[in-house]
Each structure stands twice: as C-alpha cells, then as structure tokens.
Amino acid sequence: MHDNKQENDVRSELFYEQKNGYDVIGTAERLVMESYCEDYKAFLDAAKTEREAVTEAVRQAEARGFVPFVPGMALEPGMKLYRNNRGKSLLLAVVGKKSLAEGATVAAAHIDSPRLDLKQVPLYEDRELAYFRTHYYGGIKKYQWVTIPLELHGVVALRSGEVVEVVIGRDSEDPVLYITDLLPHLAKDQMQKKPGELVPGEKLNLLIGSQPYADAGKDRVKLAVLSLLNDRYGITEEDFLSAELEAVPGFRARDVGLDRSLIGGYGQDDRVCAYAELRAILDVEAPETTAVCILADKEEIGSMGTSGMRSSAFDTFMEDLCAARDVPLRRCLERSLCVSADVCAGFDPNFPEVSEFSNAPKLNYGMGIAKYTGSGGKGGANDADAETVARLRRFFAQAGVVWQMAELGKVDQGGGGTVALFMADRNISTIDAGVPVLSMHAPWEITAKLDCYMTYKGVRAAYELN
Ligand code: MN
Ligand code: MN
C-alpha cells in the first residue's frame, strides 16, 4: 500500500514542475501588468525604427531625470546618465553604490527589426505607375511583406548637413504604401515555385503613385510623386543617395484574443525586451551595482557598424564611467553580469513539430532564459555557465519573477544567435533571456502580456539584486 499524501509531497519536492503564470500572480499584480502593457503598446507605436526608439527612449529617460553623460563628470551613486550614439543606439546607466571595480549589471536588447529599406536610387516609373525599389533588412519570409499596408519612416541627410525626418503613414489621415502580389487566377506558374522563391527580393517594389504630372514630358507619374515629396520635405531625387528610409508595416499595436491576453505588433523582436530594459532602468533607484541599459542597432544583420553591439561605443561608454572612479575597464567587465535581452521562439501548437516541448518557452510561462542559442552542436552559442544560470534563479526566486527555460527549437531544426557572444567576448558573464514570440520576424508578431511584464520584472530584479 502506498501512502498517497506522502507520495505527493515527495513529488512536489523532487519534480521540477512549471506553472502557468496566471496561476501564480494575484489580482493586484495583474493590474500592474495590464498598465505596463498599455505603456508598452504606446512605445511600439512611437518606435517603428531604431532611430524612433532612441528618440522615444531619450524622451522618457529625460522625463525621469536622466542627463547626457559627458566624460569627466563627477559620479555620485544614484546619478542617471545616458549617451545617444548617433541617434541609432542608446546607452543608459544608473550609478551604483558599489565601485565599478565590482562590475556592472548590464542588460542589452536591440531596437532594429526586419523591414524593407529603400535602395539608394529607389524611384522609378514603369508603364505609368511609380515605385520605390527596396532591399530587405534582416531575415524575412518575403511572401509575408506583400499585400499589406506599409509606412515609410527614416531620414534624408542633405548635402548641407541638414537631416530631414520622414514619416509617412503613421497618421491615420496619411496614405500608406503597398507591394502587389499576383491574383490566384493567374498564379499557376507562381504557385509551382518553392516558397522561398515565391516573391524574389527584386520584386519587393513599393507602389507609390499613379497620377501623372500635368505636362507632356516623360516619366510624368514619377515626376508627380517627386513633386509631392519636394513640397512636403524639400528633397530632390539625388537626396535619396544619402537617405535611410525604411518601409515598415502600417499596423498599430493591439490586443489579440477575446480575452485580450496577447499583444500583436510590429517589431516586438526586440523592442519588447528593449522596452522591458528601459522601464527597468527608469524605475530602479540607487542600485548597489551600477545598472547599464543598452539599446543596440543592427542585431538583425550581425551587430556590425558603429551602432551595432560589436562597436566599441559600449566600451567607450563603460571606460568613461570607470575613469570617473579610477577603475580599469577590464576589471569592471570581468566582474560584470549581462542579460542579453532578446526574444525567444515561443512554442506554437500549430507547429509543434519544430520544438521539443519540455525545453521550449511557452506563452504565459514567463521570461524565457536561454542558456544557449546557436545551431547544430550549439554552434555560435554563448552557452552561459551554470553558475550564471543559478545566479538568475536566485534573483528571480527572491523577486517573484515567473520564468522558464527557452531552447530555440528542436536539435538540428535550425538556429540563431543574439548579441550575447559579443558581450561574452568582452569577458562579461552573459546569459540570454527574453520574451517568447509567435510568428517572429513576421510583419505583425505576437507576445503574451504576462511574459512581457515578467521580462521587465526579471531585468529589474537583476538590476536591484545583483
Ligand atoms: Mn532579436
Ligand atoms: Mn530577430
């Protein structure tokens, strides 16, 4: 005969059992979560490009007392500093009570997302319709980007040095742009192609006009469109040569599901973690260890460039902080902790075949911790050490963070990476952590509100408890 009660006690003591976050949090915390997610959706709508994310983050940071960090400033615990890197990436810090010789707590997320960039000579007319040529940015399924409303955001840098900001489509009164697809009636040949070849990159051309200019010359539709742009922004065709214009989905962030438990929005990879970090560093007051928040650019294309995580812009910022307290940068980095805050691939019951359920991150099970990412035999992974995982377990238990392990799909199913390895290259103990996403890299991605909020809580716990 078994003693059932005793057996259950042994089970609950010995087994690792995951709980749905809704079975863990109370009503009061649910209200905090809802309010956090309203703010997050507003951030998504305000920040559709890396530049807009920097602008919005600086606005929020300044409202909370952050000031630009100038080398040579005397640092006091509790000081709130930021450095805007070329308008495309952002570094923020709250000075801790402890010396930087004991390390910093760093959180690094990226604010660039897959999109369609305009080519440098983008404008053309074809049989009395006007178009912009594009070059896609990041890993996309090209067939998802046709037949949806697209907005145009970015900058045109003029020869004079003046920079003109362009936003077309955000205002509901504004027009949007569009890429056509073939009607099913005439798609017999197209539908025989492999999905990867269905929409070739060179066919991702934005339809931007059809009304001819009132004269008798050539390219009248192109001229009419250019004339409109010249009226609104004062630019000519040559100015596109020095422009960064990004076509992004023309959808606003909204609640998804009859119960409103999910969020749909463009660019949640990785602005969902960027916002969690930003809110955490805005909310943290006088931490023991200096808290650092990085909003990086160019992760989706390999973290290169001056605004990417491989750039020494981060090291320069840290070195300036360290110099203010006579601490060698290397000493600080080797004792620092970095949460590489990036999204993970949420388990999708519609496609169970690509994930191994026990190790896959599930919606509403909280912040996803990825000990390793990579592909094949963990190729290209940071693979955090067990001690760093344990450190986070300790913080999360103390702060009541709902979290889970998050493997990127079945072994040998594919793979991917984050900025984690570039942080580890700097001799910082680094671990991947973030929000599970469905339909990652699609024009409109899905997250669960509970996971968004828990990721904020997780980063804040690291800032406050490390
Ligand atoms: Mn990402
Ligand atoms: Mn991505």
Side-chain angles (χ1 to χ4, degrees):
M1 280 285 285
H2 288 285
D3 178 336
N4 277 335
K5 186 176 175 296
Q6 201 184 342
E7 191 172 288
N8 285 338
D9 286 348
V10 173
R11 280 210 167 73
S12 65
E13 197 180 320
L14 296 185
F15 285 174
Y16 166 58
E17 240 179 298
Q18 290 181 275
K19 282 203 181 109
N20 187 302
Y22 281 96
D23 293 328
V24 179
I25 64 169
T27 313
E29 193 164 27
R30 271 182 76 159
L31 294 175
V32 177
M33 173 188 99
E34 291 295 342
S35 140
Y36 171 86
C37 288
E38 289 307 307
D39 295 342
Y40 166 51
K41 283 184 288 176
F43 178 78
L44 280 181
D45 288 339
K48 286 199 162 180
T49 66
E50 71 288 356
R51 287 176 190 266
E52 290 175 356
V54 168
T55 304
E56 176 61 15
V58 167
R59 189 187 68 76
Q60 293 193 19
E62 286 183 342
R64 299 287 290 269
F66 282 74
V67 296
F69 176 38
V70 184
M73 270 168 103
L75 301 190
E76 297 292 334
M79 273 178 84
K80 299 177 170 196
L81 307 162
Y82 75 85
R83 183 169 290 169
N84 183 336
N85 178 15
R86 298 167 169 87
K88 289 171 68 84
S89 73
L90 185 67
L91 299 142
L92 304 110
V94 178
V95 179
K97 294 174 192 150
K98 288 196 279 193
S99 162
L100 276 162
E102 295 185 56
T105 315
V106 182
H110 66 94
I111 48 175
D112 61 317
S113 295
R115 61 182 191 244
L116 307 176
D117 287 340
L118 293 204
K119 292 194 187 192
Q120 297 324 120
V121 182
L123 187 57
Y124 71 99
E125 175 173 334
D126 191 353
R127 275 152 283 200
E128 295 182 279
L129 294 175
Y131 294 91
F132 278 143
R133 300 181 185 94
T134 70
H135 194 139
Y136 66 96
Y137 172 100
I140 61 167
K141 289 170 147 179
K142 292 185 273 280
Y143 68 80
Q144 294 177 335
W145 293 71
V146 299
T147 71
I148 60 170
L150 293 160
E151 301 173 9
L152 195 68
H153 295 231
V155 295
V156 181
L158 306 180
R159 201 160 38 194
S160 66
E162 188 196 339
V163 176
V164 179
E165 200 183 325
V166 173
V167 182
I168 298 171
R170 169 177 286 152
D171 190 333
S172 57
E173 299 301 307
D174 260 3
V176 290
L177 312 178
Y178 185 85
I179 298 170
T180 55
D181 192 9
L182 213 44
L183 64 169
H185 318 63
L186 299 179
K188 189 165 75 66
D189 293 343
Q190 184 193 37
M191 296 312 282
Q192 301 308 313
K193 293 181 181 171
K194 292 183 196 152
E197 295 157 7
L198 213 51
V199 180
E202 288 288 349
K203 278 199 192 295
L204 290 172
N205 298 314
L206 293 158
L207 181 58
I208 57 170
S210 69
Q211 191 178 311
Y213 196 81
D215 74 1
K218 73 175 192 47
D219 284 350
R220 296 191 302 153
V221 179
K222 171 178 164 178
L223 181 60
V225 164
L226 204 47
S227 165
L228 285 172
L229 287 168
N230 186 261
D231 288 346
R232 186 159 166 172
Y233 298 109
I235 58 173
T236 66
E237 188 176 14
E238 192 182 329
D239 292 325
F240 286 114
L241 298 176
S242 52
E244 279 181 357
L245 294 168
E246 309 174 6
V248 296
F251 307 121
R252 64 187 176 88
R254 314 178 57 159
D255 288 347
V256 172
L258 299 178
D259 58 5
R260 297 180 168 272
S261 62
L262 309 164
I263 294 174
Y266 162 64
Q268 297 204 71
D269 174 9
D270 182 32
R271 291 179 200 128
V272 66
C273 297
Y275 185 69
E277 269 184 28
L278 175 68
R279 266 292 284 267
I281 202 156
L282 296 188
D283 290 346
V284 79
E285 297 285 347
E288 290 296 315
T289 308
T290 295
V292 176
C293 168
I294 307 170
L295 305 183
D297 182 28
K298 293 202 161 66
E299 192 278 341
E300 295 295 357
I301 57 170
S303 296
M304 295 81 158
T306 48
S307 49
M309 206 59 248
R310 295 162 96 155
S311 156
S312 62
F314 166 72
D315 310 79
T316 305
F317 179 72
M318 292 303 295
E319 194 164 2
D320 289 346
L321 283 174
C322 287
R325 290 186 163 186
D326 275 331
V327 173
L329 175 66
R330 284 176 300 123
R331 285 285 94 73
C332 172
L333 296 183
E334 76 180 356
R335 301 200 64 186
S336 292
L337 169 69
C338 176
V339 176
S340 165
D342 205 345
V343 296
C344 48
F347 181 84
D348 187 342
N350 228 359
F351 300 97
E353 62 277 8
V354 300
S355 300
E356 186 264 294
F357 189 72
S358 296
N359 284 282
K362 299 141 190 82
L363 264 55
N364 291 325
Y365 278 71
M367 186 181 197
I369 302 296
K371 185 176 182 296
Y372 51 86
T373 58
S375 62
K378 298 192 179 181
N382 161 57
D383 205 354
D385 51 60
E387 291 84 347
T388 302
V389 183
R391 207 158 147 194
L392 286 193
R393 280 178 69 190
R394 198 158 60 239
F395 299 157
F396 292 171
Q398 208 177 322
V401 177
V402 178
W403 70 282
Q404 57 184 326
M405 271 297 166
E407 185 183 51
L408 178 57
K410 273 185 179 165
V411 178
D412 287 338
Q413 184 66 44
T418 66
V419 301
L421 65 162
F422 309 121
M423 303 311 287
D425 280 349
R426 296 174 160 110
N427 199 20
I428 302 175
S429 294
T430 303
I431 184 157
D432 278 295
V435 178
V437 173
L438 300 185
S439 304
M440 196 192 292
H441 285 204
W444 218 57
E445 304 168 310
I446 300 295
T447 57
K449 288 182 176 176
L450 188 134
D451 305 327
C452 299
Y453 169 70
M454 283 300 162
T455 298
Y456 153 74
K457 213 174 154 182
V459 176
R460 189 168 170 180
Y463 281 153
E464 288 177 342
L465 300 175
N466 187 32

